Amino acid sequence: MIRTALQILVMFSVAILLAALQATSPPYAMLTGPIRTTGQQRETVSSQTFSVKVRRVLKAKTIGFAQFGKRSQLQTSGVWMVVSAEVQAFQETMPVRAATLVGSSGRLYRQSRRAGAAANILSAKVVQPGLPTTGIFVFELPDDETGDMKLILSEQYDPQLKDEISVSLEANGMIAQNELEIGKDGV
Amino acid sequence: MIRNKGKTWLTRLVAGAGGLLAAALSLGYSLYEQRESDLVRQVQANTSLEAGRWKVLVTGSRVSASTPDGLQISKGKRAILVNMILENISAESSNLYGTLIRIANMPDVPRPQYYLVRDRAILWDLQPRMPELVVAVWEFPETSQLPDVLKLQVEGERFKPRDNLYSAPGWFPAGAVATMSLPLKRDIADRAP
């Protein structure tokens, strides 16, 4: 009788142990996720493979740029955010294709392909080690998302076991204007 | 002895009844599922629909010889244009709206190309919480018969915080959300096939 009770007890405790192990084991997607580095806007944020220094954060209702020799102006139902930054690669030639702005609600806004033809877009460039490269990232988001933002950069979108840098942007460091002209040298 | 016999009989009865009950439940459930999948909501045009990742409001459709960016469609083809207001209600920019709307009453339907009305250009990502006027364009050979009333089916998606393979978050197909019929206006005259 005692033996049966003991057996049941052992079985239950083993089941509970296994369930706990299963519930706490990190998923594959997390294990192979990005290697995160975080920092502030005023400092240069460095990871193992690249670093970023955010220079200016601009907010505008419309943006204009030259496209195929013709001037094009883009409107939005929200606002345009243009971030100019300097990127350095440490180990090898690499692009920084993925730029995402995390809005104040936590939603992820990838850089806008509508402004993809503007000059000096950083994600269209290739960064050579030892040569600091400057450029801009253009985002489109609702106005109420621009309070407390984070810029996330990586080589590609959804990096796996690669560096990802997150920079908190200062709300008071933002320059707001009605119309922003993106010239040959960016903003 | 008699008591034992009664017990055996009772066991058999319980086992048989259980089996029958299980079979009946299984049959009933599969019938219910079949019925549920056949029942797709019929809606009017200009109804706001939520389909998982997207919120869509279809406003009208027409046949045209040019795309919304002003270019002519190549010779021997014509296009069905469907106007709609599309909003990304997920937490992330996305361009995976290609399978959202399906033409249900035509054979061999190609993949649509979406255009942004604001820019008169091809639509890329839609940003969350920013509804836009967009046009979906399906190109058909001129010889194919176009119906007078277009039947559209809106396909839903379901978010899983952990999928079954990598336990990563993702969106997965969740069957039809609604169907609608809308008149197909003609900008260009039908040519004899």
Side-chain angles (χ1 to χ4, degrees), chain A residues 145-162:
Chain A
E145 294 271 7
T146 61
D148 184 26
M149 292 181 296
K150 260 192 304 191
L151 176 72
I152 295 179
L153 299 179
S154 56
E155 191 175 340
Q156 305 286 351
Y157 283 109
D158 305 318
Q160 289 198 314
L161 297 173
K162 293 246 175 126

Side-chain angles (χ1 to χ4, degrees), chain B residues 69-82:
Chain B
D69 57 357
L71 295 177
Q72 290 293 313
I73 286 163
S74 53
K75 257 202 167 140
K77 283 185 172 181
R78 56 186 167 171
I80 292 180
L81 275 60
V82 173

Side-chain angles (χ1 to χ4, degrees), chain A residues 22-23 25-30 73-79 105-114 140-142 144-145 158, chain B residues 88-95 116 118-119 121-132 161-163 165-169:
Chain A
Q22 193 197 27
S25 66
Y28 177 81
M30 195 195 277
Q73 197 173 37
L74 295 181
Q75 314 284 332
T76 172
S77 59
V79 288
S105 69
R107 289 183 176 83
L108 305 177
Y109 291 86
R110 290 187 175 189
Q111 51 184 334
S112 174
R113 293 282 292 266
R114 292 176 62 199
E140 185 189 5
L141 62 169
D144 58 359
E145 294 271 7
D158 305 318
Chain B
N88 180 353
I89 51 174
S90 77
E92 206 173 351
S93 309
S94 170
N95 59 358
L116 180 62
R118 192 191 285 279
D119 285 358
I122 284 174
L123 176 68
W124 297 98
D125 283 355
L126 268 169
Q127 311 291 348
R129 286 182 56 220
M130 298 185 88
E132 294 280 2
R162 286 177 156 215
D163 72 19
L165 189 56
Y166 294 116
S167 57

Side-chain angles (χ1 to χ4, degrees), chain A residues 30-48:
Chain A
M30 195 195 277
L31 289 174
T32 60
I35 303 160
R36 292 200 174 87
T37 313
T38 55
Q40 300 296 319
Q41 189 183 335
R42 57 179 177 275
E43 61 197 25
T44 304
V45 188
S46 303
S47 67
Q48 196 78 43

